[in-house]
Amino acid sequence: IAVPSDPELFTDFFDLRSRTSGERYELADGTVYIDEKMSMLLGNVGAGDKIGLERGENDVVDVTLTAPFENYPNHYVYMTPANYADIFGTEPEYNVLYFRHGVGIDGQDALGEELLTVDGVINVTFNSNTMKTFTAMLDTLSMVIIVIIASAGLLAFVVTYNLTNINITERIREIATLKVLGFYDMEVDKYVFRENIILSLLGTLAGLVLGRFLAEFVITTAEVDLVMFGRNIYPMSYVIAAIATMAFSVLVTFAMHSRLKNIDMIEALKSVE
């Protein structure tokens, strides 16, 4: 539970806002805010719902939630000193000091060591160090995502290649007949691969819709209770996904071009269906 001693200075250090709408919240008497991930863990509670705060052993008081706010690591409940006194019946004891410094990243370690020599200071944490820790964790996760994307792309190529190969094998006499009738190689390619392009377009459209739900499932499954991952999917992500899918389809087209070009028309026409 975080209770700022001066709510008016609160916005100098914290930005309470909704992740979905971007609406900014004001910390005032009578307001209680919790982070979005905690609201999900409590059963997707929202504005106006009751949440329980423990005042002591077997002593839980219900308070009305003002709104959940955007936050990713850890869990927080924000309220004013007056709210805290009303709920818990005592004044808050302040044990954390937030401050801004101008020593730069290179001078943080020296500043931290100096602050630790002050009586009453137990620990010093810099936001930049916290950001580095989570960035390193997400970089590791990014490598996993790259492997998944590469594997999905390879799977798309193999599946499309095999389906095209089967399609050509089953229609070998038909394709040979077209070549005997004088169709040029590019005309035969268009006749056969037009189906692949159309199916790829339909599959891409379906994947862009269903992929949104799949991404939500993967993100919520990979999360731990203490951290919330970002849920925003940017328009460029849809564009890149569509281009990549069509690129694999075109790649298969080029890979199978030589097979259509080198079909033995006599042997194909002699084959028994």
Side-chain angles (χ1 to χ4, degrees), residues 196-228:
N196 283 2
I197 300 299
I198 294 175
L199 291 176
S200 296
L201 286 172
L202 295 176
T204 298
L205 293 176
L208 292 178
V209 175
L210 299 177
R212 179 68 182 87
F213 300 99
L214 179 60
E216 185 78 18
F217 171 77
V218 171
I219 290 173
T220 54
T221 302
E223 283 180 351
V224 295
D225 288 347
L226 198 61
V227 177
M228 186 180 84

Side-chain angles (χ1 to χ4, degrees), residues 179 182-194 253-254 257 260-261:
K179 294 174 74 69
F183 279 68
Y184 292 106
D185 291 335
M186 292 301 298
E187 291 176 323
V188 175
D189 285 355
K190 291 180 181 178
Y191 178 76
V192 176
F193 295 133
R194 185 184 294 114
T253 299
F254 283 111
H257 169 73
L260 287 179
K261 184 178 180 179

Side-chain angles (χ1 to χ4, degrees), residues 146-157:
I146 291 174
V147 172
I148 293 175
I149 292 175
S151 301
L154 182 60
L155 178 63
F157 176 82

Side-chain angles (χ1 to χ4, degrees), residues 9 17 26 34 49 96 104 171 195 226 229 250 264 266:
L9 295 178
R17 66 184 181 189
E26 179 183 357
I34 65 173
D49 293 334
V96 176
R171 300 169 61 184
E195 298 174 5
L226 198 61
F229 292 151
V250 173
D264 189 333
I266 297 177

Side-chain angles (χ1 to χ4, degrees), residues 18-86:
S18 168
R19 178 182 62 86
T20 54
S21 67
E23 177 187 358
R24 282 178 164 78
Y25 304 130
E26 179 183 357
L27 187 64
D29 292 342
T31 60
V32 176
Y33 298 96
I34 65 173
D35 60 271
E36 184 178 353
K37 182 59 183 291
M38 187 190 298
S39 72
M40 296 177 183
L41 296 175
L42 294 177
N44 292 319
V45 295
D49 293 334
K50 296 287 186 179
I51 60 173
L53 297 180
E54 186 175 312
R55 293 187 295 190
E57 187 175 354
N58 298 324
D59 184 11
V60 177
V61 58
D62 289 336
V63 297
T64 301
L65 174 63
T66 304
F69 64 90
E70 181 180 9
N71 184 71
Y72 297 96
N74 303 319
H75 298 307
Y76 300 96
V77 179
Y78 287 120
M79 65 180 67
T80 63
N83 274 22
Y84 185 91
D86 290 340

Side-chain angles (χ1 to χ4, degrees), residues 100-157:
R100 286 201 175 103
H101 64 83
V103 298
I105 296 179
D106 294 336
Q108 286 184 167
D109 292 339
L111 176 60
E113 293 177 1
E114 182 179 350
L115 291 174
L116 287 174
T117 62
V118 178
D119 291 339
V121 177
I122 299 175
N123 184 42
V124 178
T125 302
F126 294 99
N127 281 348
S128 58
N129 292 339
T130 304
M131 291 171 63
K132 286 181 181 179
T133 301
F134 280 97
T135 299
M137 180 181 68
L138 292 177
D139 286 344
T140 303
L141 184 61
S142 296
M143 293 302 299
V144 176
I145 294 174
I146 291 174
V147 172
I148 293 175
I149 292 175
S151 301
L154 182 60
L155 178 63
F157 176 82

